[in-house]
Amino acid sequence: MQLKTNNQSMLQKIAPFIGLILIIVIITALNPGFLSVSNLMNVLRQVSINALIAFGMTFVILTGGIDLSVGATLALTGAVTAGMMASGIDPIFAMLLGLLLGAVLGAINGFIIAKGKVAPFIATLATMTIYRGLTLVYTDGRPISGLGDSLTFQMLGKGYFLGIPVPVVTMIISFGVLYFILKKTTFGRRVYAVGGNEEASILSGINADRIKIYVYSLLGLLAALASLILTSRLNSAQPTAGEMFELDAIAAVVLGGTSLTGGRGWIVGTLIGALIIGVLNNGLNLIGVPSFFQQVVKGAVILLAVLLDRKKTA
Amino acid sequence: MINMTDISKSFSGNKVLKNVHFTLEKGEIHALMGENGAGKSTLMKIMSGIYTRDSGTVEVKGEQVNFTSPKQAEEAGIAVIHQELNILPHLSIADNLFLGREETIGRTGILKTKQMEKKTRQILGDLGLDINPSDPASTLSVGKQQIVEIAKALSVDAEVIIMDEPTAALTDREIDSLFKTIRELQKRGVSFIYISHRMEEIFSLCDRITILRDGEFVGERKISETSFDEIVQMMVGRELGERFPERNSEIGEVKLSVKGLKRKDCFEDISFELRRGEVLSIAGLMGAGRTEVAQSLFGYKKLDGGTIEFDGKQVKIDTPRKAKEMGIGYVTEDRKSEGLVVDFSVEENVSMTNFAAISKNGLISKDKERKLYDTMVKRLGIRTSGPDQAAKSLSGGNQQKVVIAKWLGIEPKLLILDEPTRGVDVGAKKEIYSIINELAERGVAILMISSELPEVIGMADRVLVMHEGKITADLPKQEMTQERIMHFATGGGKLAVEDQ
């Protein structure tokens, strides 16, 4: 009996990985160029921004929450950081402030959800609009450029480290740290506990409100980090940056097998989920699927994955 | 009308009904009584098609039936009115009455609202309810909503209506009018099965009574030929025997002293003392406010008044976290929804209250975690296939031990146990009693809420009886009898004097 449940959960865990391999095999068969080193690096770099956000989203979803405001958080932190850099503030200082702003915006979400007892969907739908609106107000609807030539800032989006794009290195390091936090720390355990059974967690003396505020704050911080990478790559901050990013992040988490009801899932799955989305984006281009049709395929793959997942758990 | 014979039912190896009989005559009001967990609701769920029986036969009007869904039972004329009413508060009274079988113009789906409202007025008027059918159902009192539910049952031609604790949320006047309705329908040939803990109601309303205990049929009596005492004895009377292991604890100084605790609409005027090494039980019926008192002591529910002294110091406990830091543990009533994270492993569940002991600077030490798990499994005799077994796949008794294990790790000074043996088989029960005894012998103060009277009498040094949010009796061990506790729990006050 026990063995069976273990096997089941094991299968559930590796299913996204099998899916990824399958997609790679199909795409490579249709266009062997996919597997070239330069293309793979390209894919990874494209994935890194979504992956960073999706890692944070994993924490939020594990507590049973959701955050629709990450795209807007990314835009606002990017704009404010770029604004500071354009006005001559020390770029490193500006970037740190940008990260802090991201964490604060996330904490605001967490606070509204935990203390105000507002459903996460509604709370972050509202802050999404507010954050996006603030971005437009701050930028007056225009991109911010002229960000100077700080090497650190330029490296963040465009540099290479040992031949690997810096955004990919950032993603890998973040993944390692977050994996460790979820797996080995009391905080990680409490994230699972709150999502698994909030009432039992509170009755065990866990401060569930605090955990929630922390996870939204962490997601805000990661969105801000993603915004720095994006701003560096584009050498400017766009007021419309990050639109629909929240949905790609949620899709990556769900593809990775994390339950939207909270308590179950793992961050490795999210990384694979983000890779599936990235590989699809890249591969569909390579094999010449018309760009309008690509969206249909992407949506269908997500739907298929979730349907299969439901079947297994039912 | 209905004849159930030799009904048995098990859940995951736990036999909850053993060869139970039940017969219902046409036009009678038949009470079904028994302690919590005696099998009443399982029996009724079999009758109404929610569960299927393992063995035995069910006959309705002389024909053998095998319901596999509530729909089939409904078609055979059996309707259930649950404790939680199926009223949609924002819909109109007429909409509620016709829910699922709305009258429409042809097959268009366009509602004949006027006609349904007219019928509603007529049907409910028949039952003595004068209302405006277009008002939202939420404007009705609970008692009137109940009558709407009865009307719903009648409008699908129910001949048998099962009512589960219908009066729990009603005022005396509402109870009177409900009873009037029931008697009126009885004259028209409708049969009722009436589940209640309230003895007075059963004597004033019912014709016959069937009593279950521990999933077994104990007896059936005509109400006119039995007495309050006989029924209580049938319900609770069993040999205590060896079921409760002996305890040699030394009752020491006062650990917890509460005065005038109050929570609006839950309880008031709760005062008691609990000493080191003492097992104090709170008895009473469901809904008497016992759990709420425990939750307030543990900081999970807010108090509206009163003082708490712990270890001689006045304290304010406003979060479970604070309670835990003071050395208070709380084994919750419902282990699945409040006690365990069912997807977590046994080990992870045990760790949930013990992060301080198994981690340093926020890092969990796998060694310390495993050591804690090993200690607890050994100490409590938890039977698992290993630390990674999911809590949801454990038996009820082992799950309960895991919940207790969570709290032993903090070395509690006060342990609150809410229905510690509910849904636990006899063997595991005794083990849990031994654990409680061992804790008391170590000087832990125990506050044990229980609806099982034998358990209260077998385990407690003292019992507080609660009725509708108030303490109605505080009995030392030598004055505890099941009859007396039951009497105070149902709100009686004079029997005690006659007793002596």
Side-chain angles (χ1 to χ4, degrees), chain B residues 35-36 238 243 419 421 429 450-456:
Chain B
E35 291 181 283
N36 296 334
R238 69 190 124 184
R243 283 182 49 207
E419 301 287 359
T421 65
K429 267 186 187 180
S450 176
S451 300
E452 282 192 47
L453 294 182
E455 177 171 292
V456 169

Side-chain angles (χ1 to χ4, degrees), chain B residues 322-392:
Chain B
K322 206 160 162 188
K324 188 173 95 175
E325 277 159 12
M326 288 166 50
I328 302 176
Y330 178 35
V331 176
T332 50
E333 176 179 19
D334 185 333
R335 55 184 163 262
K336 281 199 181 120
S337 74
E338 300 167 330
L340 296 169
V341 178
V342 290
D343 284 327
F344 268 14
S345 68
V346 174
E347 183 177 37
E348 286 168 331
N349 269 294
V350 173
S351 300
M352 269 181 76
T353 46
N354 296 300
F355 288 129
I358 61 163
S359 69
K360 204 173 166 187
N361 302 326
L363 289 185
I364 294 176
S365 152
K366 199 68 217 164
D367 285 349
K368 284 187 187 161
E369 182 171 35
R370 186 55 50 87
K371 209 172 272 170
L372 176 71
Y373 164 85
D374 285 337
T375 314
M376 287 306 160
V377 164
K378 211 173 288 163
R379 183 161 164 202
L380 301 185
I382 303 172
R383 278 174 289 277
T384 71
S385 62
D388 295 330
Q389 182 173 7
K392 64 180 158 204

Side-chain angles (χ1 to χ4, degrees), chain A residues 2 6 180 184-187 189-190 192-193 196-197 199-207 210 263-264, chain B residues 298 300 320-321 324 332 336-338 340 343-344 348 351-353 355 359 362-364 369 385 389 406-407:
Chain A
Q2 178 50 26
N6 270 343
F180 179 81
K184 300 279 182 193
T185 67
T186 55
F187 173 70
R189 186 70 68 76
R190 286 175 176 142
Y192 279 101
N197 189 340
E199 218 178 331
S201 301
I202 295 170
L203 283 166
S204 298
I206 291 173
N207 189 338
R210 191 185 296 171
R264 269 179 300 157
Chain B
F298 193 63
Y300 188 57
R321 200 181 154 79
K324 188 173 95 175
T332 50
K336 281 199 181 120
S337 74
E338 300 167 330
L340 296 169
D343 284 327
F344 268 14
E348 286 168 331
S351 300
M352 269 181 76
T353 46
F355 288 129
S359 69
L363 289 185
I364 294 176
E369 182 171 35
S385 62
Q389 182 173 7
K406 280 172 61 178
W407 291 107

